[in-house]
Amino acid sequence: MKAFRLDELEAERAANEGAYLQFLRERNMSVGLYALNAGEHDPQKPHNQDEVYFVVSGRAQITVGMETTQVARGSVVYVPAGVAHKFHHISEDLRVLVVFSPPES
């Protein structure tokens, strides 16, 4: 078993001064914590993997392809591989668990 605490992951991510911390990598998936602060720009480009976002905290909008929706704590968003997507209009610091399948390369 592997178990993680969100506060410890956030501290590790912040200590590494990056927006993304991959904390689990297995044969069929990887999982990370993504952080964007209020007003920040999301620099993501489309990925070669399917993704699932689970919003842990914060408020923003996300556009996936041509569709836009509001997200907040508890929101879950699926993004198919190769589809352009961005968080924007981030009104509260955003913390998101990201699951990639297959694992992010």
Side-chain angles (χ1 to χ4, degrees), residues 32-94:
L33 177 64
Y34 190 45
L36 293 165
N37 292 327
E40 198 170 353
H41 169 75
D42 182 1
Q44 291 193 80
K45 304 238 185 288
H47 304 283
N48 295 323
Q49 304 83 3
D50 287 339
E51 292 177 82
V52 173
Y53 289 116
F54 174 74
V55 178
V56 175
S57 62
R59 290 187 178 281
Q61 292 182 11
I62 187 170
T63 298
V64 178
M66 301 299 288
E67 295 181 84
T68 299
T69 192
Q70 299 276 344
V71 293
R73 186 179 70 149
S75 296
V76 178
V77 178
Y78 167 69
V79 179
V83 175
H85 58 285
K86 298 253 188 237
F87 289 100
H88 52 93
H89 295 93
I90 302 167
S91 59
E92 293 177 16
D93 293 354
L94 197 59

